[in-house]
Amino acid sequence: MSLSFTPIVGVVGFHHARGPEIESWYGVEVGTDPAVDNDWSYLPFMALSDGAHASTEDFSYFTLRQQEKPDRLATSLFGISCTRQLDANELLNRPAEVTRSTVQKAVVVIADSPQLFGQLREKLSMVTRAWFAQKDFTDVDILKQFQESLEKSLQESEGDRDQYLVLAYMGLPLQIFGKGSLFGPYTPLQQLDILADYGTKSYIVGSTNPLLLQQKDRYSDILINLDDNTINITSNSLRYALNLSVADRRWIDFLTQTVNDTWDENNPSRPKSLGYMGSEEFIRLQFEEYLLALLSSVKYHDYLYSNPWEARKDTLTDIEGDPALDFNIDWIDAWRQTSNFAIFNKHTDSHLFDIVEPRHPTAGGLSMDDINRRLTQQIQELHLDERLATSKELLNKHLATGQKKVSTAFNNLWADIEVMREAQRRRHEEQKANGRLGPNSDSSTTTSGTALPSPSTFSISGSLSSPDRTPTFATTNTGSRFDSSATRGRAPDLSHAQASVSAASHKAGAYISSWGTWASERRKGWAKSKTGDNVPSSITTTGPNAGEMSGGSPNTTTTRQGSTASRQEARSEEATEGRRTVMAGKMTSLPKRKSASREERGGDGIGRLDA
């Protein structure tokens, strides 16, 4: 029986009435059609993929099954196609069946191994481009020469069989797609029914048709969307098995970083350095090394747990612990339950670790470099640096605006306070200039210009300096009132300043509230400092000016009784007679400490009351 397969070349064109169809084969016996002999009815749809007309050049990968015959075994074949299109008006020899404005064709190569597809893709692209450049599809000499070159390259590659023998000894390639399994890198819509067939156990397929996404729950356990770079695992049983270990994460990070560093946007088929790092061969070698280390570590794991310590203590002393743990033991346990593992374990030697070292390519514990690399990669993937930059800019803008508003509000507030203080100062000067303040009077006032409150209510009537100026005072424990009808020297109008303070308080409400609280506390403190803890029920005013305050002689003494009945009687009498009355009562003496305090402040304290 023949085990080798000679690569063949075919052409698939798009017919305006019949759709995709095979036009010709090169490298086959005359009068034979491998598509008919092997039932490759879906080959035209695989070669001309959905949406290929939207790009200048498009590649498609697929698999075929070669039927068993008396002189050969059934085997899997691998195909690759390159699709291009040309304006029909540019054709030198335009056939009659060409009725559309564009001609679309694909050149197909079918081989028995995909290992050389990296180099084959470059050759296929150049041949297809040159054939379209002729603008005459009846000239197929270039396609015949291309098929002959593929046959020669297959014969030259026979010298590399030693490497393939070593890989075969290690159990590669793994027999993943056995009976009931399907591998279709590109699967047309016409094959979706096969995926739901009862005899189909597993598959890996690719598609460009969005209809597959609409039925992802029916057709997929794992869905990888290359349009938005997402992986959706719908099978709960696979989630833990597919978690990457620390070593696995480090390995894939190294691989992707190398590819990204050497990626060429203008020519993705090769690295921008034109070197080995980041090339397709480099990527293939990394996966080959990983798989060999995995298989060797699994065999070593089985050896450790199937032999007592005395029988294995002298073997592989440089290997510490169980290297299989670096490959995620959950994944290994899930793999052991498959028929693929049964085939591998049956046809491979138990001591594969003697040929390939059982060690993960990037073995080792978690390090700070791993953490920094993952954080950097996640920031790049999520574009957090761009989002944070935008958020930072907006935050700074809002902070600047808020700072400006707060600064303006406080500036206005302090300006209004200064206006009020200036008005108070002018009022004080006017009162002093008019003789309403004594030279040693106490000028301590509140921020509104009112006198400090006395501990109890009393009334005083009389003249200060002249008979025609008789101000009347009514002082309570809440402040002082001035009878404007009896006072000629009016205080400055503070309505404008108070309105400004009110407006500023709305802008800085919290600040004004605290200001009022502070002023209230200070007022209480001043009242306590002037009255003391024990205040007598009656206050006697003596001195040379006492008679003037009561309207009598200098020797007259005026007394205010602090009882409630006296105050009520005074109010009744005031309402009846229309004037304020001085209630006479029993004269008492203040304590010496209070009298001394009054003498220090100006004797009789008239200045304090008038302020």
Side-chain angles (χ1 to χ4, degrees):
M1 294 185 180
S2 176
L3 298 178
S4 61
F5 178 82
T6 302
I8 58 177
V9 175
V11 175
V12 175
F14 185 85
H15 193 273
H16 68 281
R18 298 186 295 269
E21 60 182 8
I22 300 175
E23 296 180 352
S24 57
W25 288 105
Y26 304 99
V28 299
E29 297 180 1
V30 178
T32 61
D33 187 348
V36 176
D37 297 340
N38 297 280
D39 192 19
W40 294 344
S41 57
Y42 295 124
L43 174 59
F45 302 96
M46 297 177 182
L48 283 175
S49 60
D50 296 332
H53 61 278
S55 58
T56 304
E57 183 179 69
D58 186 72
F59 292 90
S60 177
Y61 298 85
F62 51 91
T63 58
L64 299 169
R65 185 177 186 273
Q66 186 182 33
Q67 300 288 351
E68 181 179 2
K69 288 189 176 182
D71 59 341
R72 69 185 183 203
L73 297 175
T75 185
S76 295
L77 300 178
F78 301 86
I80 178 175
S81 66
C82 178
T83 304
R84 296 185 70 91
Q85 49 193 348
L86 179 67
D87 191 341
N89 296 326
E90 298 181 8
L91 290 175
L92 300 179
N93 296 315
R94 181 171 180 171
E97 61 268 15
V98 177
T99 59
R100 291 194 172 188
S101 59
T102 303
V103 178
Q104 186 180 32
K105 295 182 181 296
V107 179
V108 183
V109 176
I110 299 176
D112 61 348
S113 174
Q115 294 180 356
L116 300 178
F117 271 23
Q119 302 175 3
L120 181 58
R121 171 173 170 152
E122 294 294 326
K123 296 180 180 179
L124 179 60
S125 176
M126 292 186 293
V127 169
T128 306
R129 189 182 307 111
W131 188 45
F132 271 72
Q134 296 178 162
K135 300 181 181 180
D136 184 4
F137 293 125
T138 60
D139 186 357
V140 295
D141 290 340
I142 190 173
L143 300 180
K144 294 178 180 180
Q145 295 174 6
F146 176 52
Q147 190 277 327
E148 294 174 357
S149 67
L150 293 176
E151 187 175 357
K152 292 179 180 179
S153 63
L154 178 62
Q155 295 174 357
E156 294 173 357
S157 63
E158 292 292 335
D160 298 332
R161 290 296 179 182
D162 293 341
Q163 180 183 0
Y164 299 149
L165 291 177
V166 174
L167 296 178
Y169 180 79
M170 294 292 298
L172 295 178
L174 295 174
Q175 303 300 312
I176 299 175
F177 303 99
K179 185 177 181 180
S181 300
L182 173 66
F183 175 65
Y186 174 72
T187 303
L189 195 61
Q190 290 79 1
Q191 280 189 305
L192 289 183
D193 292 339
I194 299 178
L195 305 182
D197 189 77
Y198 179 78
T200 303
K201 299 179 180 179
S202 62
Y203 50 81
I204 296 179
V205 297
S207 177
T208 59
N209 199 307
L211 293 178
L212 184 63
L213 297 177
Q214 300 177 5
Q215 305 183 49
K216 59 183 180 181
D217 295 335
R218 176 187 179 188
Y219 290 113
S220 67
D221 292 326
I222 304 173
L223 179 63
I224 303 175
N225 193 328
L226 297 179
D227 291 335
D228 53 13
N229 296 324
T230 59
I231 299 178
N232 183 22
I233 303 176
T234 58
S235 175
N236 293 328
S237 60
L238 295 177
R239 293 184 182 275
Y240 292 103
L242 294 178
N243 286 333
L244 296 180
S245 64
V246 174
D248 287 339
R249 178 74 68 180
R250 187 183 302 119
W251 178 81
I252 195 63
D253 285 345
F254 160 75
L255 184 58
T256 54
Q257 186 64 37
T258 303
V259 174
N260 291 332
D261 292 342
T262 58
W263 185 261
D264 188 358
E265 291 289 346
N266 298 326
N267 188 4
S269 62
R270 61 184 182 183
K272 59 183 179 182
S273 61
L274 302 180
Y276 172 72
M277 298 296 292
S279 64
E280 185 172 348
E281 292 301 322
F282 167 79
I283 298 174
R284 290 180 180 273
L285 181 61
Q286 301 306 311
F287 276 96
E288 180 179 301
E289 179 185 9
Y290 179 90
L291 288 175
L292 291 176
L294 168 65
L295 301 180
S296 178
S297 298
V298 171
K299 288 291 186 178
Y300 187 73
H301 172 84
D302 294 343
Y303 174 76
L304 289 178
Y305 289 94
S306 61
N307 292 278
W309 173 254
E310 292 77 8
R312 56 184 172 88
K313 61 182 179 179
D314 296 331
T315 61
L316 298 179
T317 56
D318 57 332
I319 301 299
E320 298 181 0
D322 186 359
L325 299 178
D326 288 332
F327 293 91
N328 186 2
I329 199 64
D330 291 333
W331 185 90
I332 294 177
D333 291 341
W335 181 41
R336 289 179 181 278
Q337 302 174 13
T338 64
S339 58
N340 171 250
F341 178 81
I343 296 174
F344 162 77
N345 198 43
K346 179 179 180 181
H347 295 90
T348 54
D349 192 275
S350 60
H351 283 61
L352 292 181
F353 50 84
D354 290 334
I355 300 176
V356 176
E357 183 181 15
R359 186 190 300 274
H360 197 287
T362 54
L366 183 65
S367 63
M368 289 302 301
D369 292 337
D370 299 328
I371 298 176
N372 292 335
R373 183 170 54 252
R374 286 306 300 169
L375 289 177
T376 302
Q377 183 175 357
Q378 290 178 359
I379 289 175
Q380 294 176 352
E381 292 176 353
L382 298 176
H383 302 285
L384 292 181
D385 50 348
E386 300 176 3
R387 297 179 183 179
L388 291 177
T390 304
S391 300
K392 183 179 180 180
E393 182 180 356
L394 293 176
L395 179 61
N396 291 336
K397 182 178 179 180
H398 288 302
L399 286 177
T401 304
Q403 183 180 6
K404 182 178 180 180
K405 292 181 178 180
V406 172
S407 178
T408 302
F410 276 103
N411 289 338
N412 294 336
L413 173 64
W414 287 116
D416 294 335
I417 292 176
E418 290 297 328
V419 171
M420 185 180 65
R421 292 178 61 185
E422 180 65 19
Q424 180 184 354
R425 185 185 64 79
R426 291 179 180 178
R427 176 190 173 195
H428 181 77
E429 291 178 354
E430 291 178 0
Q431 291 175 351
K432 185 175 182 180
N434 293 332
R436 298 173 60 187
L437 291 177
N440 298 324
S441 61
D442 186 2
S443 60
S444 300
T445 60
T446 62
T447 57
S448 61
T450 59
L452 294 175
S454 298
S456 58
T457 305
F458 64 95
S459 300
I460 301 176
S461 63
S463 61
L464 289 177
S465 58
S466 61
D468 60 341
R469 299 185 63 181
T470 57
T472 301
F473 304 94
T475 306
T476 65
N477 60 348
T478 58
S480 299
R481 293 198 309 259
F482 296 93
D483 190 353
S484 58
S485 63
T487 305
R488 294 183 180 180
R490 297 179 178 275
D493 186 8
L494 301 181
S495 60
H496 177 70
Q498 292 176 350
S500 300
V501 172
S502 177
S505 66
H506 286 289
K507 299 179 181 178
Y511 184 85
I512 295 301
S513 177
S514 63
W515 177 272
T517 303
W518 175 84
S520 176
E521 295 295 330
R522 294 289 295 177
R523 183 183 301 170
K524 294 179 181 179
W526 289 336
K528 291 182 179 179
S529 65
K530 293 176 175 56
T531 60
D533 297 332
N534 299 320
V535 181
S537 60
S538 62
I539 298 177
T540 302
T541 304
T542 61
N545 298 329
E548 295 179 7
M549 294 178 62
S550 61
S553 63
N555 297 326
T556 303
T557 302
T558 303
T559 306
R560 189 263 303 166
Q561 183 69 28
S563 63
T564 304
S566 299
R567 290 197 300 270
Q568 292 177 351
E569 183 180 353
R571 290 169 184 162
S572 175
E573 197 169 333
E574 177 185 7
T576 304
E577 300 178 3
R579 60 185 180 85
R580 300 182 183 276
T581 306
V582 179
M583 302 298 295
K586 183 178 180 179
M587 297 177 61
T588 59
S589 300
L590 290 172
K592 294 182 179 181
R593 181 176 59 82
K594 180 63 69 173
S595 300
S597 177
R598 286 179 176 272
E599 291 175 357
E600 293 174 358
R601 296 184 182 182
D604 52 15
I606 295 177
R608 184 181 69 255
L609 293 175
D610 188 56

